[in-house]
Amino acid sequence: MRMGEIDRRQFMRAAGIGFLAALAPQKLYALSRSEAVYASGFRAPDGTYGIATASIRGEVIDRILLPARAHGLAYCPVSGRGVAFARRPGTFAMIFDPAGRQEPVVIHTPEGRHYYGHGHFSPDGRLLYASENDFDGNRGMIGLYDATDGFRRIGEFEAQGIGTHDMTVSDDGRFLVIANGGIETHPDFGRTKLNLDHMQPSLVILDAKTGDVVQRHTLPEPLRQLSTRHLDIDGDGRIWFACQYEGPRNELPPLAGSFAPGEDLRFLSLPDETTQRLANYVGAIAINRRDRLVGLTSPKGGTAVILNADTGAVLAEETVPDAAGVCAAPEGVAVTSYDGTLAGTRSSLAWDQHLVRLA
């Protein structure tokens, strides 16, 4: 499974001579040979956390230290900047330039909020959206940050659910798509899940200008413990979602599905053996738009799965111990693992749960 793509010559031109001159010879060689550059959070052997860029062969090119553990990342092709969001219940996000032209910027949530670990840039690069928790109000929020003014927080929308996790933006910038996992948490109780007996998962589309609800799907009662967690959008604008089941281990609920504006949810009917291998837990999802593929990873099941986006058929399953991030690759999808493996190369860095393509 290979990783996502950025033209290395484009990256090197954008980085400039200063960045390239600062790289150690072996890292410069790795960059010069790479068809793609990616970024992921990591934990170093000394226990520190950061963001690293890596080549298509899994060679670490550069790294930036973080104040604490990150979760998800987003990338803005307009500005060339990325952002790493703190793992719940962290309150920081770091905006970074993978080409090294600008110093990192650290922002924080206002009092009474924490990040849920995900966010997305508007297509024009002017806004950064972030999933947040109003923990005393027990409601998910989408924070709005002005990317043209030092990422100053300029407002927020209600996410229309609780346990707001992943969110993304339609290609035309009109809609925000939100996965409300339905799980109540509060930083006073760390990462404890407080309402597993009455979860409220939902998938929501908001108007990106007004925050008004365009569409909201709640899950049927038999699936009320199916936490809707991660999202991606295909080239046709279809929204794909992946879930984590908080119910009995011996049950085999649907773990992924899709929908579009004006449509009901469509759950994938995976073979029972595939669902069992995923251990009722999909940690990340990614769409390869060109090849019409859906990639799923499960750290609990130690499995990566590739599906046909048109039929839902399972095309490949691979055992990947501690499978973590997934993203589209030039061919297929690429997968990282918590043990530091990427594209067959094992580094000293433990990759974190999500992987982003720099493009």
Side-chain angles (χ1 to χ4, degrees):
M1 295 184 180
R2 300 177 64 194
M3 284 193 72
E5 178 177 18
I6 183 175
D7 187 306
R8 66 180 180 276
R9 291 167 296 181
Q10 176 189 352
F11 181 84
M12 294 172 77
R13 285 196 302 268
I17 190 67
F19 172 80
L20 298 177
L23 291 178
Q26 66 269 26
K27 293 182 179 180
L28 184 59
Y29 178 67
L31 177 58
S32 70
R33 295 171 57 238
S34 183
E35 300 172 38
V37 179
Y38 333 91
S40 177
F42 70 80
R43 184 178 56 129
D46 63 2
T48 57
Y49 295 99
I51 309 156
T53 51
S55 75
I56 197 170
R57 286 168 292 277
E59 304 150 314
V60 175
I61 296 170
D62 198 20
R63 64 181 78 181
I64 302 169
L65 290 180
L66 291 171
R69 184 176 176 181
H71 184 69
L73 300 93
Y75 179 72
C76 177
V78 176
S79 67
R81 290 183 293 188
V83 58
F85 295 95
R87 184 174 185 253
R88 173 180 67 85
T91 60
F92 79 90
M94 178 179 281
I95 295 89
F96 64 98
D97 181 352
R101 298 160 300 185
Q102 303 176 64
E103 290 296 314
V105 175
V106 178
I107 60 175
H108 297 273
T109 58
E111 186 176 354
R113 303 281 193 272
H114 67 70
Y115 288 120
Y116 268 122
H118 286 279
H120 209 279
F121 286 94
S122 61
D124 61 9
R126 298 180 63 85
L127 290 174
L128 173 65
Y129 302 99
S131 58
E132 301 174 359
N133 187 18
D134 171 10
F135 45 82
D136 287 332
N138 190 26
R139 57 177 184 161
M141 307 297 293
I142 303 298
L144 281 62
Y145 297 82
D146 187 345
T148 70
D149 186 17
F151 291 87
R152 176 173 57 91
R153 196 174 194 276
I154 58 174
E156 62 185 19
F157 296 146
E158 287 201 36
Q160 305 298 323
I162 66 173
T164 303
H165 197 68
D166 201 1
M167 63 85 52
T168 190
V169 185
S170 62
D171 287 359
D172 59 11
R174 294 175 56 203
F175 302 123
L176 308 183
V177 186
I178 304 164
N180 292 311
I183 299 174
E184 179 183 355
T185 61
H186 194 288
D188 287 351
F189 300 94
R191 292 176 57 81
T192 301
K193 301 168 183 178
L194 303 174
N195 68 329
L196 294 184
D197 60 339
H198 56 279
M199 289 170 53
Q200 302 172 43
S202 63
L203 293 156
V204 176
I205 300 177
L206 299 183
D207 184 297
K209 289 185 177 180
T210 65
D212 293 338
V213 177
V214 175
Q215 190 169 324
R216 185 175 187 270
H217 294 285
T218 57
L219 271 60
E221 178 60 25
L223 297 179
R224 62 180 174 79
Q225 289 186 294
L226 190 63
S227 183
T228 45
R229 305 284 284 184
H230 293 107
L231 300 164
D232 202 357
I233 300 179
D234 67 22
D236 297 327
R238 188 163 198 82
I239 300 154
W240 292 81
F241 60 93
C243 307
Q244 298 168 11
Y245 191 53
E246 300 292 344
R249 291 185 179 182
N250 62 341
E251 294 184 359
L252 298 175
L255 297 177
S258 66
F259 69 104
E263 289 185 7
D264 290 333
L265 302 182
R266 300 182 189 175
F267 286 97
L268 290 174
S269 297
L270 298 177
D272 286 351
E273 56 269 26
T274 302
T275 302
Q276 289 170 342
R277 291 193 68 183
L278 290 168
N280 281 348
Y281 187 103
V282 177
I285 183 171
I287 305 299
N288 181 319
R289 292 185 172 190
R290 189 199 69 181
D291 295 339
R292 301 289 299 161
L293 302 174
V294 182
L296 309 174
T297 54
S298 172
K300 290 190 175 182
T303 297
V305 177
I306 299 178
L307 309 173
N308 183 311
D310 295 317
T311 67
V314 175
L315 301 178
E317 295 184 21
E318 184 174 340
T319 298
V320 182
D322 295 318
V326 60
C327 74
E331 298 177 5
V333 300
V335 173
T336 57
S337 71
Y338 288 122
D339 71 0
T341 300
L342 167 61
T345 297
R346 186 169 182 178
S347 72
S348 63
L349 304 180
W351 299 116
D352 219 317
Q353 187 169 349
H354 292 286
L355 180 67
V356 68
R357 179 176 74 183
L358 307 181

